[in-house]
Amino acid sequence: MRVVATAEEMRELGAELAALLRPGDLAILSGPLGAGKTTLVQGIADGLKVRGPITSPTFVIARVHPSLSDGPALVHADAYRLGGDLEVDDLDLDASLEESVTVVEWGEGLVEGLADDRLEIFIDRGESDEADETRTVRLRGIGARWEGVV
């Protein structure tokens, strides 16, 4: 568990996570609206050195951000508007899974079947004060890929 006090700290955490991510990795982000999921992905993108800008893909569902270096591309998807497994299948996220880092916001309960190994990231907001940027971030690695890593 990690407490993050500002949006900049969330981006820094994302960059730290990027150092752990490699082609074929799937990360699933969960948390309420405004929790900082896209901000975390911005940090991951910075760490992976991919082309931006990184914005919420809610209305386009998924974006591919090619690498600006020799690293993997970032596939950034948002399952918020998806109605179920059939719509997830329509995205063809598994087509680029092996060579990219795939990060799915709102993917809990929808995209776990894409990979046996995945990183689940849960972001919780502060209790009541809208001005409070404090977030609690919990990571859970699933599968052999993440044993001893997280």
Side-chain angles (χ1 to χ4, degrees), residues 27-31 79-80 104-112 118 120-122 138 140:
I28 302 172
L29 278 61
S30 301
Y80 184 75
V104 182
E105 296 185 35
W106 300 98
E108 186 177 20
L110 289 171
V111 299
E112 289 87 351
R118 63 189 175 275
E120 295 178 347
I121 303 169
F122 305 92
R138 292 177 289 122
R140 181 171 66 185

Side-chain angles (χ1 to χ4, degrees), residues 113-130:
L114 292 174
D116 291 334
D117 301 301
R118 63 189 175 275
L119 180 62
E120 295 178 347
I121 303 169
F122 305 92
I123 305 172
D124 293 316
R125 295 181 67 159
E127 287 302 313
S128 59
D129 185 2
E130 287 292 322

Side-chain angles (χ1 to χ4, degrees), residues 16-122:
E16 289 175 31
L17 290 173
L20 300 175
L21 295 168
R22 60 185 189 208
D25 282 344
L26 171 65
I28 302 172
L29 278 61
S30 301
L33 284 171
K37 295 179 292 295
T38 301
T39 303
L40 181 69
V41 178
Q42 290 169 347
I44 291 171
D46 288 345
L48 291 176
K49 296 178 178 48
V50 299
R51 185 173 37 192
I54 306 301
T55 59
S56 179
T58 299
F59 295 102
V60 295
I61 311 297
R63 287 192 176 99
V64 178
H65 299 276
S67 177
L68 296 173
S69 62
D70 290 333
L74 171 66
V75 176
H76 181 204
D78 188 324
Y80 184 75
R81 293 181 147 327
L82 300 182
D85 293 343
L86 290 176
E87 290 184 17
V88 171
D89 287 345
D90 288 344
L91 290 179
D92 267 346
L93 292 175
D94 53 347
S96 59
L97 197 61
E98 291 302 313
E99 66 269 2
S100 302
V101 169
T102 302
V103 179
V104 182
E105 296 185 35
W106 300 98
E108 186 177 20
L110 289 171
V111 299
E112 289 87 351
L114 292 174
D116 291 334
D117 301 301
R118 63 189 175 275
L119 180 62
E120 295 178 347
I121 303 169
F122 305 92

